[in-house]
Amino acid sequence: MQNQGTYNTGSIAVPAAFEEVFSHFYFAENNTDQAITHTLLPSFQTMMAFSFGAPIVLTTREKDELVMDTCLVAGPIKQAFDYTLPPGASLLVANFKDDAFSRFFGSAAFAQNFSTHPDTLLQDDCFTVLWKELCHIPAMEDRVNHLLAFCQPYLRNRHPIVEQIAGFNDPNLSTVKEISEKNQLSERSVQMHHKKYFGYSAKEIARYQRFLKAIEMIGASTGGNRKVDWFDIIEGCGYYDQSQLIHDFKHYLHLSPTQYLKFQQSICRQRD
């Protein structure tokens, strides 16, 4: 946990029984007298966020604003956005792993380019009820436990092909090709499963993982107070040239790599 005066943030671990559903829970509490803004790095995860106290404002790179005063689901998060906690605001975020969001809300939800209230997806007011219950629970860890107990009955079984996709972890092989051959399916069929249940294609996530590796290499360089060697990053991450690296930074963050170095302290990662 980090404590910046009375602005507190932290990550809450997920119990073993839910490790294939959530990666982690994130919280932030602004007890200062100033609004505080951070940028969320794209993660390709879908998140469920709860706002307590003063409404929280989400701002896209296109300057569109969304005011969150109860709860919403958003994602998969493919581009950075800003979030502002005014004085008195408190935030709790549940980060879904892989296909877990579709196991709760159905794969059709990904067809909506959305940031929406979860009750809209379920056509029920159960999450409004949940939010009201969470408001009366003061400790963040207790809120997480209550949230997990609430969500468990809604979780559907995993599709067998999707389970293979989620468990595939050989970076030297094509996920789509290997699983299509193993199951005697066309590559297109596996690609459709990937997009339907994860909310993004295998090609999209491969590009993002290359970008994320670049971010991690930059962090390792700056953490050691060394000057970033951009050519090492280009070679180490498999970029063709510097222009391709710059293109990815502008695509995901709307920043150049050098601008990212300047602002990285205010940029948060959704993943652990």
Side-chain angles (χ1 to χ4, degrees):
M1 180 187 297
Q2 67 182 46
N3 192 322
Q4 304 171 351
T6 54
Y7 179 77
N8 305 314
T9 69
S11 182
I12 299 174
V14 178
F18 290 90
E19 285 181 345
E20 71 172 25
V21 180
F22 300 104
S23 63
H24 67 290
F25 297 91
Y26 169 82
F27 70 87
E29 300 171 315
N30 184 10
N31 298 314
T32 73
D33 58 1
Q34 301 289 328
I36 295 177
T37 298
H38 286 292
T39 298
L40 181 69
L41 191 72
S43 64
F44 275 67
Q45 289 179 271
T46 300
M47 67 178 191
M48 179 186 298
F50 295 87
S51 172
F52 309 101
I56 295 168
V57 179
L58 312 181
T59 308
T60 69
R61 299 289 99 177
E62 292 75 28
K63 305 303 180 184
D64 294 326
E65 288 191 354
L66 175 65
V67 177
M68 179 175 64
D69 56 0
T70 55
C71 58
L72 63 76
V73 288
I77 308 299
K78 298 181 181 181
Q79 291 187 317
F81 66 85
D82 295 336
Y83 62 97
T84 301
L85 276 71
S90 178
L91 172 70
L92 174 63
V93 179
N95 298 286
F96 293 98
K97 287 179 68 173
D98 302 325
D99 63 315
F101 177 76
S102 65
R103 293 173 65 189
F104 281 107
F105 295 100
S107 58
F110 287 128
Q112 308 175 37
N113 185 16
F114 71 94
S115 296
T116 190
H117 197 290
D119 286 348
T120 303
L121 300 178
L122 292 179
Q123 298 182 339
D124 195 343
D125 65 352
C126 57
F127 280 92
T128 296
V129 173
L130 172 62
W131 173 79
K132 290 178 180 178
E133 292 172 350
L134 294 175
C135 286
H136 296 291
I137 301 174
M140 283 292 182
E141 290 83 357
D142 293 338
R143 284 176 173 170
V144 167
N145 290 332
H146 188 79
L147 174 62
L148 291 173
F150 175 89
C151 288
Q152 190 168 21
Y154 293 92
L155 187 64
R156 300 180 178 92
N157 291 329
R158 219 174 202 174
H159 189 287
I161 297 299
V162 174
E163 187 168 9
Q164 292 178 46
I165 294 172
F168 194 89
N169 56 11
D170 191 333
N172 299 313
L173 296 175
S174 165
T175 305
V176 172
K177 183 177 180 180
E178 295 299 314
I179 292 176
S180 66
E181 290 179 355
K182 178 180 178 180
N183 295 275
Q184 297 183 326
L185 295 170
S186 68
E187 291 189 15
R188 176 169 173 76
S189 177
V190 177
Q191 289 169 344
M192 290 175 65
H193 277 81
H194 201 301
K195 183 74 173 180
K196 178 179 179 181
Y197 291 98
F198 289 75
Y200 49 80
S201 68
K203 184 177 180 180
E204 285 180 294
I205 193 63
R207 178 186 177 185
Y208 167 73
Q209 288 171 340
R210 179 183 63 183
F211 168 74
L212 188 59
K213 184 177 180 181
I215 291 291
E216 291 170 345
M217 289 183 68
I218 291 170
S221 296
T222 56
N225 295 317
R226 293 182 285 114
K227 185 176 180 180
V228 176
D229 188 326
W230 295 109
F231 291 103
D232 275 356
I233 291 173
I234 290 167
E235 182 177 0
C237 299
Y239 283 101
Y240 294 124
D241 53 27
Q242 189 172 5
S243 64
Q244 191 182 30
L245 174 68
I246 292 171
H247 180 74
D248 268 10
F249 267 84
K250 290 187 175 179
H251 173 75
Y252 291 116
L253 298 179
H254 290 246
L255 298 172
S256 69
T258 52
Q259 287 173 324
Y260 171 76
L261 285 178
K262 181 179 179 180
F263 296 110
Q264 65 177 316
Q265 294 303 316
S266 66
I267 295 177
C268 301
R269 282 184 55 183
Q270 188 172 332
R271 291 181 183 269
D272 275 345

